[in-house]
Amino acid sequence: MKKTFTRLTVFAASLAVVLLTACTQEQQNKISRDIQNWTGTNGVLEVYAGDKLVRRFLKVDKISTALGTDDKSPRAYRYGYGVLDENLNMLADPDEKKVYFEVSDYSNTVFFENPR
């Protein structure tokens, strides 16, 4: 029984590796994003004007690339949902609400996982 289980495990792992290497890089990225979306994240998006922090969004689970309705081409902005940290204290205070946001590809932004 143990040999059969070990062989089955090795076969399943080998099959998974073959299937993943057969995927294009974009397909692998999509699988990774799907897993990340399922598990969730605690991202922070900061927007800068020069060297000054002007906006911060907390509890961002993902940032998506906008696609054209007809041509499905990527647009020059990203969008998502997060809690607007109005007082910039890195805490989602009770009076701060979750909002929709868009940021241009040309804006000065930093996205990272919240270390707290």
Side-chain angles (χ1 to χ4, degrees):
M1 176 72 177
K2 190 171 186 174
K3 266 188 171 179
T4 304
F5 179 73
T6 303
R7 286 182 184 166
L8 183 61
T9 303
V10 169
F11 176 75
S14 299
L15 182 62
V17 168
V18 168
L19 290 174
L20 280 176
T21 56
C23 293
T24 65
Q25 184 66 42
E26 180 58 29
Q27 289 169 326
Q28 290 176 13
N29 290 343
K30 184 179 181 321
I31 291 168
S32 175
R33 284 191 305 268
D34 289 344
I35 291 170
Q36 186 177 34
N37 291 343
W38 179 69
T39 59
T41 60
N42 187 15
V44 176
L45 176 72
E46 294 182 335
V47 182
Y48 290 86
D51 61 349
K52 182 180 179 186
L53 176 65
V54 292
R55 291 279 186 275
R56 180 183 288 140
F57 299 94
L58 305 171
K59 298 184 178 182
V60 177
D61 60 351
K62 68 178 179 177
I63 298 176
S64 299
T65 301
L67 298 176
T69 304
D70 295 328
D71 61 4
K72 303 294 185 210
S73 295
R75 298 299 189 230
Y77 68 93
R78 309 283 179 257
Y79 67 92
Y81 291 89
V83 175
L84 176 60
D85 185 13
E86 293 184 66
N87 57 7
L88 303 175
N89 67 351
M90 279 295 282
L91 297 173
D93 298 320
D95 61 329
E96 296 173 336
K97 304 296 179 203
K98 191 169 193 173
V99 297
Y100 171 84
F101 62 82
E102 294 179 0
V103 289
S104 166
D105 285 356
Y106 310 108
S107 60
N108 190 7
T109 61
V110 178
F111 181 73
F112 57 94
E113 185 175 358
N114 193 337
R116 294 182 182 182

